[in-house]
Amino acid sequence: LDCFGCVYEIKTKALLIHYLYENARISNELEDCIIQSNYIEVQRRKHMIEKVIHPALYEILTTLESRITPEELMEYNNIVSEVIYNGN
């Protein structure tokens, strides 16, 4: 991740954005399932968020924090903020 535009940086950003959008998508589906009182689908989506998406996001972000400069980290924070703000 030391060079701007390297294949690892591009893959990391792509994975980060993918997981952020999946988190938003599944969270929206979760809300719909709650409204529809579909208990099985509520549990399924909670499980995907808690056991798959959040751990993946945590791993990406904590690894980045320890390996890149504060300026580069700010760029990743901007990506996260943009996806969260703009939603899906």
Side-chain angles (χ1 to χ4, degrees), residues 14-52:
L15 278 172
L16 179 63
I17 292 168
H18 171 74
Y19 280 118
L20 288 167
Y21 276 113
E22 283 302 297
N23 186 67
R25 183 184 66 80
I26 294 172
S27 294
N28 288 337
E29 290 176 0
L30 175 62
E31 290 176 21
D32 292 341
C33 291
I34 290 170
I35 291 168
Q36 297 168 3
S37 299
N38 189 338
Y39 178 75
I40 292 172
E41 291 300 318
V42 167
Q43 293 305 311
R44 184 171 157 260
R45 281 163 178 77
K46 279 185 179 181
H47 181 80
M48 285 190 289
I49 291 169
E50 294 170 0
K51 301 295 183 188
V52 178

Side-chain angles (χ1 to χ4, degrees), residues 30-87:
L30 175 62
E31 290 176 21
D32 292 341
C33 291
I34 290 170
I35 291 168
Q36 297 168 3
S37 299
N38 189 338
Y39 178 75
I40 292 172
E41 291 300 318
V42 167
Q43 293 305 311
R44 184 171 157 260
R45 281 163 178 77
K46 279 185 179 181
H47 181 80
M48 285 190 289
I49 291 169
E50 294 170 0
K51 301 295 183 188
V52 178
I53 295 173
H54 286 176
L57 285 169
Y58 178 79
E59 183 175 346
I60 291 169
L61 295 171
T62 55
T63 300
L64 285 173
E65 189 175 44
S66 67
R67 295 183 179 211
I68 61 176
T69 67
E71 293 80 20
E72 291 170 319
L73 187 58
M74 184 59 70
E75 182 181 341
Y76 282 93
N77 286 336
N78 290 339
I79 291 170
V80 171
S81 296
E82 185 176 329
V83 172
I84 290 171
Y85 178 73
N86 292 329

